[in-house]
Amino acid sequence: DIQMTQSPSTLSASIGDRVTITCRASQTISPWLAWFQQKPGKAPGLLIYKTSKLQTGVPSRFSGSGSGTEFTLTINNLQPDDFATYYCQQYSTYSYTFGQGTKLEVK
Amino acid sequence: QPQLVQSASEVKKSGASVRVSCRASGYTFTGYGITWVRQAPGQGLEWIGWISGHTNDKEDEQKLQGRVTVTIDTSTETAYMELRGLTFDDSGIYYCARGPGSRLLPHALDVWGQGTVVTVSS
């Protein structure tokens, strides 16, 4: 299986900040990397697919980049609604593994 | 609007089996597949299986050692996930999500069901 290592596991930030979450794959998966946002008690929601493509309806302050084995999710101008847990997932090879998650909390 | 609606919560005894359903609507069911993901209490997401919506092609998480079976009924546009030999570690929320129709056409999980809570008790 491809291992996905996400960092940091917890991130403290303030409204208006710019934050970056990193995801590393144990082998090349490019470009099949997605990012999800999950709030307590809710199903995950797709933010970014194919490394950098914004899912319909997702605000443009979210962006994704990367290639090969290293990928990032960047959130500009943090808004109150953005405090949640974020997961990366590779969908290059079965099983489609997830990162362990990054909890974005209010500083 | 594409939607996935899952069956109600389940409470099962250790060693029993559970079957979760996932009914699709608002899109061409056979054009996609269904992926199953679970989440233990307070933990992250774990991919557990996939099935194509128009072929019998499927995959499941080998770590589950053959305990999981994913199936579809195209006549009712419903997918099913059965997990046998339940242990306490199988407790959690089970989600279905719209995924690739073919293993050759990667597709991110863009539509999710609301989740089904499975509780395994003694």
Side-chain angles (χ1 to χ4, degrees):
Chain A
D1 285 2
I2 297 175
Q3 307 305 314
M4 303 299 292
T5 304
Q6 202 174 322
S7 61
S9 54
T10 306
L11 183 54
S12 298
S14 302
I15 301 298
D17 282 355
R18 177 176 185 261
V19 298
T20 299
I21 299 169
T22 298
C23 189
R24 288 188 176 89
S26 60
Q27 61 191 72
T28 298
I29 59 167
S30 209
W32 310 114
L33 190 281
W35 292 95
F36 297 89
Q37 179 192 68
Q38 187 180 33
K39 296 182 179 178
K42 299 293 186 181
L46 179 64
L47 295 173
I48 302 280
Y49 64 97
K50 207 173 179 183
T51 298
S52 61
K53 297 190 179 300
L54 205 62
Q55 175 68 352
T56 302
V58 174
S60 59
R61 62 180 180 273
F62 291 89
S63 63
S65 64
S67 65
T69 62
E70 187 149 339
F71 303 86
T72 59
L73 171 70
T74 299
I75 313 172
N76 288 301
N77 186 23
L78 264 178
Q79 297 299 298
D81 193 48
D82 299 339
F83 293 97
T85 300
Y86 294 84
Y87 295 93
C88 62
Q89 185 205 23
Q90 66 83 15
Y91 56 109
S92 170
T93 305
Y94 290 111
S95 55
Y96 286 175
T97 39
F98 290 90
Q100 69 269 41
T102 295
K103 184 176 181 181
L104 177 55
E105 58 182 27
V106 178
K107 185 185 285 185
Chain B
Q1 181 136 341
Q3 190 176 10
L4 297 172
V5 177
Q6 298 183 225
S7 49
S9 299
E10 302 265 12
V11 179
K12 296 290 184 181
K13 297 281 192 186
S14 180
S17 299
V18 68
R19 191 191 196 205
V20 179
S21 69
C22 171
R23 180 170 51 84
S25 63
Y27 71 94
T28 303
F29 183 73
T30 54
Y32 299 84
I34 295 292
T35 291
W36 291 91
V37 174
R38 71 178 181 179
Q39 187 169 36
Q43 302 301 308
L45 303 170
E46 179 185 19
W47 182 94
I48 59 174
W50 163 81
I51 186 166
S52 167
H54 68 280
T55 70
N56 248 345
D57 199 10
K58 62 177 76 173
E59 283 280 351
D60 58 75
E61 173 55 67
Q62 293 189 5
K63 293 174 190 173
L64 293 174
Q65 300 176 314
R67 296 193 295 125
V68 64
T69 301
V70 293
T71 57
I72 57 167
D73 181 344
T74 54
S75 67
T76 60
E77 299 188 331
T78 302
Y80 298 91
M81 187 283 303
E82 182 183 37
L83 186 61
R84 300 173 293 280
L86 291 169
T87 72
F88 297 127
D89 289 344
D90 293 318
S91 293
I93 304 174
Y94 287 72
Y95 295 102
C96 62
R98 188 172 75 169
S102 162
R103 64 174 66 238
L104 299 178
L105 297 171
H107 182 85
L109 306 181
D110 60 348
V111 181
W112 289 68
Q114 82 276 20
T116 297
V117 176
V118 174
T119 303
V120 182
S121 68
S122 56

